[in-house]
Amino acid sequence: ALILSSVVLLQTAFAISSDSRHILSLEQASDIAHSYDSKIPIEVNEEVLKWLNFYIGDPRGRSFMKKAMVRMKNYQGFILGKLGLSKLPLELLAVPLMESGFSNKAISGNGAAGIWQFMPGTARRFGLVVKKGHDERFNVGKLTAAAISYYQSLYKIPDFQKDWRLAILSYNTGESRLKKEIENRGTLDPWAFSDIGDKQYLAKIMAGIIILKNPKKFQFKGEFALPETHVLLEDSLGIRSSEQTKLCRKTSNIVENC
């Protein structure tokens, strides 16, 4: 999957410069990032700090994030419920946030589509129909199920040694390319691969996770925060919570097979 081209263009056109409003220092960002438990190791380096300050402090990045979070309200409960039932990190909610800004109409210049930005070949590989007049990548329910299956398979690849950061990177680069790069470079350090695929992809996802865990701190309004634990109401027991049921009814015209 590739981050939506319009998002890439936005980030390229308004590249981070010395004129950007930097809100946090490296130490401040690190303290915030580590104030919550996370299944995905959260690191704050200069790359992550750059994108975090872009999305919380630069007017253009902040505008993108605010619009994405408004759209996210349509899907958040559904996706968190599915991630919880699949025992995957809830932090993966940051993937569609950064990939598409939660726009279900998103189509990249490379042909990736839907909120999870699946390429046609990947979508077909996970059982979705992609043909003229019928593209199941725009069915949020089916695409989310496919994304979950994909992440489950990526996490189990022996070369990645159950490192969620490498699984996230391979979602962007493709697992074959990342495995080849690991072999060629002789390292499993995820930050050694910032130059392949969408540049600094992992840093953007990390920034997204930090924002999702701390929306009020960054003055984003609404109920966007990720739960502090991975026990998502009764969903961990396979029982749909009343809150989830209510949200499913509310978004029944958006998410199929709720």
Side-chain angles (χ1 to χ4, degrees):
L2 293 172
I3 282 189
L4 179 63
S5 58
S6 61
V7 177
V8 175
L9 288 173
L10 170 70
Q11 295 166 346
T12 302
F14 303 112
I16 306 297
S17 70
S18 58
D19 296 327
S20 297
R21 274 199 303 144
H22 288 260
I23 300 297
L24 300 175
S25 68
L26 192 64
E27 183 179 2
Q28 289 171 326
S30 183
D31 287 344
I32 292 172
H34 296 126
S35 63
Y36 292 88
D37 292 333
S38 176
K39 266 191 174 182
I40 297 174
I42 304 299
E43 300 171 80
V44 180
N45 52 30
E46 292 295 341
E47 289 181 10
V48 175
L49 181 66
K50 178 179 72 173
W51 289 107
L52 178 59
N53 279 325
F54 175 70
Y55 287 117
I56 68 174
D58 186 287
R60 294 151 298 204
R62 191 171 181 84
S63 176
F64 164 80
M65 188 59 62
K66 288 175 70 175
K67 292 175 182 177
M69 283 187 157
V70 168
R71 289 190 292 264
M72 185 175 75
K73 292 175 69 176
N74 292 321
Y75 312 113
Q76 179 184 7
F78 175 79
I79 293 174
L80 288 177
K82 295 300 183 182
L83 290 172
L85 287 170
S86 302
K87 302 188 184 305
L88 292 182
L90 303 184
E91 291 84 2
L92 290 177
L93 185 70
V95 174
L97 174 70
M98 306 308 289
E99 284 274 0
S100 66
F102 278 99
S103 172
N104 196 35
K105 297 179 180 179
I107 303 176
S108 77
N110 293 298
I115 65 171
W116 292 90
Q117 287 290 280
F118 262 42
M119 296 292 286
T122 306
R124 296 187 182 101
R125 175 179 158 195
F126 286 91
L128 300 185
V129 175
V130 180
K131 62 182 181 180
K132 187 176 181 179
H134 184 41
D135 192 334
E136 291 185 333
R137 291 178 296 173
F138 299 108
N139 179 311
V140 174
K142 291 183 178 181
L143 184 60
T144 296
I148 286 173
S149 294
Y150 192 19
Y151 264 111
Q152 287 172 327
S153 67
L154 291 173
Y155 184 66
K156 293 176 183 177
I157 292 176
D159 303 63
F160 301 159
Q161 297 190 8
K162 294 188 175 181
D163 188 328
W164 276 112
R165 298 166 301 172
L166 291 173
I168 288 170
L169 273 174
S170 63
Y171 182 87
N172 176 250
T173 65
E175 57 267 43
S176 296
R177 183 178 181 187
L178 186 56
K179 285 194 289 186
K180 183 177 180 180
E181 291 292 339
I182 288 172
E183 182 179 355
N184 290 341
R185 303 186 189 195
T187 180
L188 286 170
D189 179 6
W191 299 104
F193 308 104
S194 294
D195 59 331
I196 65 173
D198 178 60
K199 303 301 184 289
Q200 299 186 4
Y201 181 83
L202 183 59
K204 295 169 190 174
I205 298 297
M206 290 285 173
I209 292 173
I210 294 169
I211 291 170
L212 286 176
K213 284 183 172 288
N214 302 274
K216 292 181 180 179
K217 186 178 291 291
F218 301 130
Q219 298 181 339
F220 289 110
K221 297 179 180 179
E223 298 300 324
F224 303 116
L226 288 171
E228 292 185 19
T229 70
H230 291 275
V231 179
L232 189 64
L233 302 176
E234 296 92 352
D235 287 335
S236 61
L237 302 176
I239 304 170
R240 190 181 305 279
S241 70
S242 59
E243 180 181 335
Q244 180 72 8
T245 302
K246 181 178 178 181
L247 189 139
C248 282
R249 288 172 182 165
K250 182 179 178 181
T251 61
S252 60
N253 61 323
I254 301 173
V255 181
E256 296 186 23
N257 300 321
C258 199

